[in-house]
Amino acid sequence: MTPENRALAAFHGLALGDALGMPTQSLSREQVQQRFGAITALEAAGPDQPIAPNMPAGSITDDTEQAILVGQLLVEGRGNIEPTVLAQRLIEWEAAMRAKGSQDLLGPSTKRAIDMILAGHTPEESGRYGTTNGAAMRITPVGIAADIKDPARFIQAVIQACQVTHNTTLGISSAAAVAAVVSAGINGADLGEALNIGVQVAQKAESHGHWIAGGRISTRISWARTLSVGSGDKALFADLLYELIGTSVASQESVVVSFALAQQVAVGAMNAFEAVCLAASLGGDTDTIAAMLGAMLGACLGMQCWPQAVIEQVTRVNGLDLQPLVQGLLALR
């Protein structure tokens, strides 16, 4: 498997997870069960979907769109992201979304940070309250462009992509964890090894950014990877994640849940597609959990882990052409 195959599988996995979670995002687990039973394929959003009403099956959301935006900035900046340029692009992106009538707008941390930038604060100050998963959801291109073999430099690349919106211990360490798994996967690490590297890098990254009181990302990921249910019952495992860790936009919940599901794939309890479908069925911030999970699994397992027909559907519905972007990101590596 080539690095390009793995990098493409990471970006396509992100888009696939995002599209699977699109119709269930912001719904409770009970609402998901009433409307869909469990997600096993791409579904359209109903008229009462709170964020993406009436979106066709296979549609991506802000997770993939903002990851593409970060990827384009990395390529344009030859590996550097200027924080004020990222802020400006995010403002323009939200304006375009509003014009389309979409409710899929900037998340709470990103919105607050951009309001601070517009009010004249520096990028160092603007991200000091960002604890949610917005940085982790769009960090995959950094994992493709930066090599984890140089951890200090790698963490700096993550900080650069996080700083303007999520300049906190929680925001940076959670994004670093996801990016590290992607980067390790592209280097050829198997899934279990890559998840270990993700924990180690999250631990190193925790010393950066403004300190925020909250469960440590690396510790919570390590604990979540030990969770399992005796019978191998997927629905029971999903209940455990939903009730014990939680599926909100908080990094300590959504990012940690994505690692718990990745661990289930690593131990052979389910395959990659089953795992992203389970993520999309959880309730809560399903599109982001499934997107982060899809990126990590794709990087470690390659394009063959995704059913070709669903990848083609997501590509077609959204007019995606990820190969040139992925090649540009790999060239930076």
Side-chain angles (χ1 to χ4, degrees):
M1 244 188 314
T2 63
E4 186 174 332
N5 178 301
R6 290 167 177 270
L8 276 169
F11 228 130
H12 280 291
L14 186 152
L16 172 60
D18 186 14
L20 284 165
M22 175 274 295
T24 58
Q25 61 182 321
S26 296
L27 301 180
S28 70
R29 184 150 169 70
E30 293 69 30
Q31 288 172 314
V32 174
Q33 286 166 339
Q34 283 161 10
R35 294 183 194 190
F36 301 101
I39 295 288
T40 56
L42 295 164
E43 300 273 3
D48 51 355
Q49 206 320 310
I51 296 175
N54 302 313
M55 293 269 275
S59 300
I60 57 169
T61 76
D62 58 333
D63 302 73
T64 311
E65 291 186 359
Q66 288 189 29
I68 290 170
L69 185 153
V70 168
Q72 289 167 339
L73 284 179
L74 278 166
V75 173
E76 287 167 24
R78 298 186 181 169
N80 287 312
I81 295 176
E82 186 57 54
T84 46
V85 177
L86 175 58
Q88 190 54 46
R89 286 287 177 91
L90 288 168
I91 292 166
E92 289 163 7
W93 173 82
E94 187 180 54
M97 294 299 276
R98 280 189 196 281
K100 283 198 299 193
S102 172
Q103 298 302 306
D104 224 334
L105 305 173
L106 296 172
S109 295
T110 301
K111 184 80 189 136
R112 183 174 187 173
I114 282 172
D115 287 343
M116 287 179 72
I117 290 273
L118 292 173
H121 292 271
T122 65
E124 288 78 14
E125 296 171 301
S126 61
R128 68 173 304 154
Y129 305 104
T131 60
T132 50
N133 57 25
M137 84 176 191
R138 55 180 180 247
I139 203 68
T140 291
V142 174
I144 298 172
D147 195 335
I148 193 57
K149 284 180 183 156
D150 185 346
R153 195 167 163 202
F154 182 84
I155 289 169
Q156 284 308 313
V158 171
I159 291 168
Q160 203 180 51
C162 292
Q163 185 186 49
V164 70
T165 57
H166 294 76
N167 191 15
T168 63
T169 48
L170 292 175
I172 291 169
S173 60
S174 60
V178 173
V181 176
V182 171
S183 187
I186 289 168
N187 284 342
D190 69 36
L191 181 55
E193 186 190 345
L195 295 173
N196 290 341
I197 291 168
V199 172
Q200 291 158 13
V201 172
Q203 214 166 3
K204 288 195 177 89
E206 275 158 5
S207 57
H208 298 277
H210 294 274
W211 178 80
I212 297 286
R216 288 179 68 177
I217 297 292
S218 60
T219 312
R220 282 179 68 82
I221 290 172
S222 297
W223 160 73
R225 290 175 66 194
T226 68
L227 293 177
S228 61
V229 289
S231 62
D233 183 324
K234 291 193 189 79
L236 213 58
F237 186 67
D239 287 339
L240 185 69
L241 300 182
Y242 183 74
E243 292 169 17
L244 185 61
I245 302 175
T247 57
S248 76
V249 297
S251 293
Q252 311 98 295
E253 295 189 5
S254 45
V255 174
V256 172
V257 162
S258 69
F259 271 82
L261 285 165
Q263 180 67 24
Q264 293 296 297
V265 179
V267 299
M270 58 186 86
N271 67 32
F273 186 64
E274 287 170 338
V276 286
C277 285
L278 190 60
S281 306
L282 284 174
D285 198 7
T286 48
D287 56 330
T288 300
I289 294 168
M292 294 184 295
L293 175 63
M296 294 192 290
L297 295 177
C300 296
L301 303 173
M303 279 303 283
Q304 62 268 36
C305 79
W306 304 128
Q308 197 177 341
V310 289
I311 294 293
E312 285 171 0
Q313 186 177 345
V314 172
T315 301
R316 186 177 65 251
V317 168
N318 301 288
L320 292 178
D321 182 14
L322 294 174
Q323 193 158 12
L325 178 58
V326 163
Q327 287 170 339
L329 292 167
L330 284 172
L332 296 170
R333 197 180 181 89

